[in-house]
């Protein structure tokens, strides 16, 4: 469960994502020969880290900015913002204007 980026309400998602993984034998490094091929996951001492591989796939499949149904951002009133001038901030480099002594 994730939070809506607009209202912070809980948002549920259903995922139906195909996962294509290839676990490599110990000592074999992943190759970049086929970018469309399965993700190659190296193993250490014959142990496959299936949980870590699935967690990575899940994080890629989830919506990074979920919204609750009907959630909308409030419209900015351009006329209201134009009436208020931006506050004048001091230039942080003004102290360097004098040069080296």
């Amino acid at each position: 469960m994730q939070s809506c980026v607009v209202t912070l309400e809980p948002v549920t998602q259903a995922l139906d994502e195909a996962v294509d993984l290839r676990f490599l034998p110990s000592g074999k490094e992943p190759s970049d020969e086929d970018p469309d091929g399965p993700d190659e996951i190296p193993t250490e001492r014959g142990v496959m880290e299936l949980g870590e591989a699935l967690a990575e796939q899940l994080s890629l499949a989830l919506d990074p900015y979920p919204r609750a149904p009907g959630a909308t951002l409030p419209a900015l009133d351009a006329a209201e913002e134009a009436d208020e001038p931006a506050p004048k901030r001091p230039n942080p480099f003004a102290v360097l204007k004098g040069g080296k002594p």
Side-chain angles (χ1 to χ4, degrees):
M1 182 145 330
Q2 293 178 283
S3 296
C4 173
V5 295
V6 177
T7 63
L8 299 179
E9 294 177 16
V11 177
T12 58
Q13 287 182 339
L15 294 177
D16 185 13
E17 189 77 21
V19 176
D20 193 10
L21 303 173
R22 178 183 298 148
F23 288 92
L24 302 173
S26 295
K28 186 172 180 186
E29 293 296 318
S31 68
D32 294 332
E33 293 176 12
D34 186 11
D36 295 328
D39 290 340
E40 296 181 334
I41 312 296
T43 59
E44 293 183 22
R45 296 183 305 263
V47 176
M48 295 185 286
E49 295 290 339
L50 183 60
E52 181 179 346
L54 288 178
E56 287 177 4
Q57 296 296 316
L58 176 64
S59 67
L60 293 172
L62 286 173
D63 183 2
Y65 304 104
R67 286 192 178 192
T72 58
L73 291 172
L76 295 176
D77 187 7
E80 183 179 299
E81 287 196 15
D83 293 340
E84 299 175 19
K88 181 80 171 160
R89 296 188 300 169
N91 185 349
F93 298 102
V95 296
L96 300 175
K97 198 172 191 176
K100 284 187 171 180

